[in-house]
């Protein structure tokens, strides 16, 4: 009996630490946790990387990432669709020599210089070259990605293709300045362009002529033959004025049957009676 009791005491001591205390469940699991931690960390990092890559590809904006030397690292699917460039073909190429048109490189150079100086973001709107040589108007920003010491590590270019949007805006703007019936400038267009012409004339010293014209007895035409005939008379008058003055002159219909013209007299080929 004594031998068995001594064996039980000895076995119990063998399970105690050097300080005589029995190891807790938490202490016993530490080696296993230490072994699992690197694997779990790698899995977490890989999961986050895959999530970011999926978000990059799913984004509607055009994304380009290049390193601190301007070498393209990656583009997303939206960029490939809009520009026709394949990401694999662009990887490693210089961003400034590949995408912006020559006139836009200075803007991007200034932007990258600003990011190096500590600016977080630089906005731009300029043209890029598509794979077939066509131009794409991109509106977006350069955003800095910095290393642990604050130095520029890479740059994210996020942009939208606003080519068609700007065309539409230009058409709407032009329509707002034109008379629907005659195609001449309307009162608003005349006021805007005449003011610009006056400012240019003051700088250059080129003389300008201001001409007003109307259609005699226009009301009688409307009363006798109807508004359709009156509209045709206005169109014919507009054509006559357009043929009389140069394309560079400002010819406008500013009211019912009233027209106004600003003509540049500084040109040798202009003769105003």
């Amino acid at each position: 009996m004594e031998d068995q009791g001594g064996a039980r005491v000895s076995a119990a001591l063998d399970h105690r630490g050097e300080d005589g205390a029995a190891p807790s469940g938490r202490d016993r699991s530490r080696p296993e946790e230490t072994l699992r931690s690197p694997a779990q960390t790698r899995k977490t990092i890989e999961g986050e990387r895959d999530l970011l890559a999926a978000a990059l590809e799913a984004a509607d904006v055009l994304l380009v990432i290049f390193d601190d030397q301007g070498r393209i690292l990656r583009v997303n699917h939206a960029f490939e669709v809009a520009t026709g460039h394949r990401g694999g073909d662009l990887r490693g190429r210089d961003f400034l020599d590949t995408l912006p048109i020559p006139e836009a490189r200075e803007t991007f150079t200034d932007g990258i210089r600003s990011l190096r100086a500590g600016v977080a973001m630089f906005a731009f709107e300029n043209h890029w070259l598509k794979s077939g040589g066509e131009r794409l108007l991109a509106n977006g920003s350069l955003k800095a990605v910095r290393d642990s010491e604050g130095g520029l590590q890479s740059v994210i270019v996020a942009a939208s293709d606003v080519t068609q949007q700007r065309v539409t805006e230009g058409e709407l703007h032009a329509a707002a300045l034109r008379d629907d019936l005659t195609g001449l400038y309307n009162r608003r267009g005349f006021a805007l362009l005449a003011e610009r012409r006056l400012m240019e004339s003051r700088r250059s010293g080129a003389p300008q002529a201001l001409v007003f014209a109307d259609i005699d007895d226009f009301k009688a035409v409307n009363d006798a033959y109807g508004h359709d005939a009156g509209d045709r008379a206005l169109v014919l008058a507009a054509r006559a004025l357009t043929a009389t003055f140069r394309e560079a002159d400002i010819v406008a219909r500013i009211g019912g049957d009233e027209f106004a013209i600003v003509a540049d007299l500084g040109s040798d080929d202009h003769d105003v009676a």
Side-chain angles (χ1 to χ4, degrees), residues 172-179 183-197 249-255 260-262:
L172 291 174
H173 178 70
L177 302 180
R178 292 283 182 178
D179 176 53
L184 300 179
Y185 289 111
N186 57 22
R187 180 182 290 271
R188 178 184 178 190
F190 179 77
L192 178 64
L193 296 176
E195 182 179 4
R196 291 180 182 174
R197 179 66 62 83
D249 295 330
I250 304 168
V251 182
R253 179 190 174 205
I254 59 174
I261 304 97
V262 174

Side-chain angles (χ1 to χ4, degrees), residues 1 14 16 34 36 55 59 87 97 105 124 140 142 148 158 165 217 224 231 234 240 242 249-250 260 270 273:
M1 294 294 294
D14 288 342
R16 294 179 180 272
T34 302
R36 284 201 310 262
D97 291 338
R105 289 175 188 168
F124 66 86
L142 307 178
S148 59
Q165 177 183 337
D217 299 321
D231 287 348
L234 289 171
T242 303
D249 295 330
I250 304 168
H270 213 314

Side-chain angles (χ1 to χ4, degrees), residues 51-244:
L51 178 63
L52 289 174
L56 181 72
E57 289 303 308
D60 292 332
V61 296
L62 283 56
L63 294 175
V64 184
I65 303 174
F66 58 85
D67 63 18
D68 62 329
Q69 300 301 313
R71 294 183 295 257
I72 297 174
L73 301 175
R74 184 166 185 170
V75 302
N76 71 339
H77 179 67
F79 173 90
E80 292 181 327
V81 172
T83 66
H85 291 292
R86 295 177 59 85
D89 297 334
L90 292 179
R91 192 170 295 115
R93 294 174 60 179
D94 189 281
F95 173 79
L96 294 179
D97 291 338
T98 305
L99 293 176
I101 63 172
E103 295 86 345
R105 289 175 188 168
E106 184 176 352
T107 299
F108 279 113
T109 300
D110 291 342
I112 295 170
R113 187 182 298 115
S114 297
L115 297 184
R116 291 187 187 280
V119 174
M121 184 183 71
F122 182 89
F124 66 86
E125 181 170 307
N126 50 36
H127 286 93
W128 293 359
L129 288 175
K130 300 171 70 171
S131 61
E134 306 93 338
R135 292 189 176 191
L136 174 153
L137 184 60
N139 176 284
S141 62
L142 307 178
K143 297 181 181 180
V145 178
R146 305 193 182 280
D147 57 27
S148 59
E149 298 180 355
L152 186 64
Q153 178 175 308
S154 57
V155 175
I156 300 175
V157 185
S160 298
D161 179 2
V162 296
T163 308
Q164 188 56 48
Q165 177 183 337
R166 294 294 181 264
V167 170
T168 302
E169 289 174 353
E171 292 174 348
L172 291 174
H173 178 70
L177 302 180
R178 292 283 182 178
D179 176 53
D180 291 337
L181 177 63
T182 64
L184 300 179
Y185 289 111
N186 57 22
R187 180 182 290 271
R188 178 184 178 190
F190 179 77
L192 178 64
L193 296 176
E195 182 179 4
R196 291 180 182 174
R197 179 66 62 83
L198 180 60
M199 294 175 61
E200 294 171 0
S201 176
R202 287 172 177 169
R203 287 195 299 266
S204 65
Q208 306 291 314
L210 177 60
V211 181
F212 288 100
D214 62 11
I215 300 177
D216 291 340
D217 299 321
F218 179 69
K219 184 177 183 302
V221 173
N222 271 335
D223 292 343
Y225 302 103
H227 290 289
D228 287 343
D231 287 348
R232 287 196 294 272
L234 289 171
V235 171
L236 290 173
R239 290 177 182 173
L241 290 172
T242 303
T244 301

Side-chain angles (χ1 to χ4, degrees), residues 1-64:
M1 294 294 294
E2 291 180 2
D3 291 340
Q4 292 177 357
R8 285 195 296 270
V9 171
S10 177
L13 290 174
D14 288 342
H15 286 282
R16 294 179 180 272
E18 294 181 357
D19 57 357
S24 66
R26 181 179 179 182
D27 292 337
R28 285 195 300 269
S29 65
R30 253 182 217 156
E32 184 179 354
E33 289 179 355
T34 302
L35 291 175
R36 284 201 310 262
S37 181
Q40 290 176 335
T41 301
R42 283 195 300 272
K43 186 176 181 179
T44 300
I45 292 174
E46 290 173 357
E48 292 178 349
R49 182 190 62 196
D50 293 343
L51 178 63
L52 289 174
L56 181 72
E57 289 303 308
D60 292 332
V61 296
L62 283 56
L63 294 175
V64 184

